[in-house]
Amino acid sequence: MAQGYFITGTDTEIGKTHVAVQLIRHWQQQGQRVLAMKPVAAGGEVLADGSCLNEDVTRLVAVTGQADLEQMNPYCFPAAVSPHIAAKLAGVEISLPLITSHYQALAAQADIVVVEAAGGWLAPLSEHLFMSDMARALQLPIILVVGMRLGCINHALLTVQAIQQAELPLAGWVANQVVPQQLAYLENIAMLKQHISAPLLFEIPYQD
């Protein structure tokens, strides 16, 4: 069975896919067979056959070469809104057992499986399910992407606290510079290092 990692973030649009691609390439260079999974994607293009294709999934496919999109992305919704709203609009109920079974199928084919969440740790999947429930169902170590900008310390430490309360291991965190110039960037990094016991895996400079 493969080693899996669950990538979450301090918010939406803070670079989870970019980090996932970086990690996949790193492990591929070590000779590992790496597959990716984006269980839920909200915001996608409706294709001629009626299927939905999300941009993040496209980027993951480009680096892994996966052909079975249904397996890696069982839930893709056209509406670019919160997953629970997108699912309701599509008349679909998100099933954690289905997601778990898709993950296990991927894990049987790989050395490492990278699972990218949607939104942040408490992004809702339904009125009663949250992204954290998916992480608990998969029982994977967490990699936290911190969007480095004003307020990131609060967002990061609250997320770390929630991960600890879920009794899941935090494998590490990534500092992604999402603004061109963050005031006191080094001081923010130092504060996060002091209060997050998991290692800082790497830093990503701002990219326009």
Side-chain angles (χ1 to χ4, degrees):
M1 186 65 71
Q3 171 64 63
Y5 293 95
F6 188 90
I7 299 181
T8 189
T10 50
D11 203 346
T12 190
E13 299 296 330
I14 46 78
K16 292 188 299 296
T17 306
H18 186 59
V19 169
V21 169
Q22 297 272 17
L23 288 169
I24 290 167
R25 286 176 175 160
H26 169 73
W27 285 317
Q28 285 174 336
Q29 289 170 0
Q30 294 181 339
Q32 304 281 351
R33 166 67 170 155
V34 189
L35 295 178
M37 185 178 185
K38 176 90 173 177
V40 179
E45 177 187 0
V46 179
L47 305 179
D49 63 0
S51 63
C52 173
L53 183 60
N54 174 264
E55 181 182 358
D56 293 346
V57 174
T58 301
R59 293 180 62 191
L60 293 172
V61 167
V63 71
T64 64
Q66 287 168 252
D68 190 341
L69 299 187
E70 169 66 22
Q71 188 179 59
M72 74 181 295
N73 179 216
Y75 295 104
C76 181
F77 305 114
V81 293
S82 177
H84 77 295
I85 299 173
K88 189 173 183 179
L89 290 172
V92 173
E93 183 176 346
I94 295 172
S95 164
L96 294 184
L98 175 66
I99 289 171
T100 301
S101 68
H102 280 232
Y103 169 79
Q104 290 171 344
L106 289 169
Q109 307 168 48
D111 299 313
I112 298 174
V113 179
V114 175
V115 180
E116 183 193 337
W121 183 248
L122 288 179
L125 299 172
S126 70
E127 292 183 1
H128 306 290
L129 286 177
F130 296 86
M131 204 62 62
S132 56
D133 294 306
M134 183 195 299
R136 277 195 290 263
L138 293 171
Q139 284 292 303
L140 299 177
I142 310 299
I143 294 176
L144 174 63
V145 181
V146 178
M148 298 301 296
R149 60 188 176 200
L150 186 63
C152 66
I153 295 173
N154 177 64
H155 294 157
L157 297 185
L158 282 173
T159 305
V160 168
Q161 186 179 72
I163 292 169
Q164 291 171 340
Q165 289 173 347
E167 298 183 342
L168 291 171
L170 181 61
W173 59 285
V174 176
N176 186 28
Q177 299 182 42
V178 295
V179 294
Q181 290 185 335
Q182 180 188 8
L183 293 177
Y185 172 79
L186 293 178
E187 290 84 351
N188 278 261
I189 288 287
M191 187 69 171
L192 290 169
K193 282 184 175 180
Q194 180 181 346
H195 291 280
I196 300 177
S197 58
L200 171 59
L201 301 177
F202 54 92
E203 300 174 53
I204 301 177
Y206 175 77
Q207 299 178 28
D208 191 359

